[in-house]
Amino acid sequence: MAIIRVKNLLIRTYIGFNPEELRNKQDVVINMSIKADVSKAIKNDDVDNSYNYKVITKKVIALVQEGKFKMLENLTQQVLDLIMKNPNVEWAKVEVDKPHALRFAESVSIELEANRISNL
């Protein structure tokens, strides 16, 4: 098993429910950790047997850029659900930051995780 991490993926989207947030895209920062079986890829040095992080990253970018989200919790869950669609993923954790959401704070974030195996 490998843990693949995508760090500080910066995307602009509609996030929030205040009038200004509904009109203007804002930055979100996404961090993903994905546990997947890549043993065949390691053995054969073959991308077809690996978990392609470029493919999932492009899917996440499309989902977030094209979507409109009232709550950070919903955005985070949708990204996690997208990652978990791949049957080779055993566990994933997603954290989404909304920079400058609160005065005097660098950001606010939500972190969610899911797994296929109950003993993780």
Side-chain angles (χ1 to χ4, degrees), residues 3 5-6 12 18 33 54-55 64 71 91-92 101-102 112:
I3 296 181
R5 290 188 175 89
V6 178
R12 294 188 60 75
N18 295 324
S33 296
K54 186 174 183 179
V55 170
V64 176
M71 298 191 59
W91 168 88
L102 292 175
L112 297 172

Side-chain angles (χ1 to χ4, degrees), residues 24-37:
N24 300 308
K25 284 189 172 186
Q26 299 174 72
D27 291 334
V28 293
V29 180
I30 300 176
N31 286 285
M32 303 177 285
S33 296
I34 304 162
K35 185 176 183 180
D37 184 359

Side-chain angles (χ1 to χ4, degrees), residues 31-45:
N31 286 285
M32 303 177 285
S33 296
I34 304 162
K35 185 176 183 180
D37 184 359
V38 296
S39 57
K40 289 181 184 175
I42 291 169
K43 183 178 179 182
N44 301 324
D45 198 23

Side-chain angles (χ1 to χ4, degrees), residues 5 9 11 14 39 57 63 65 94 99 104 109 116 118 120:
R5 290 188 175 89
L9 182 63
I11 308 173
Y14 294 101
S39 57
T57 300
L63 170 76
Q65 281 183 335
V94 174
F104 305 120
S109 71
R116 295 191 198 288
S118 60
L120 283 179

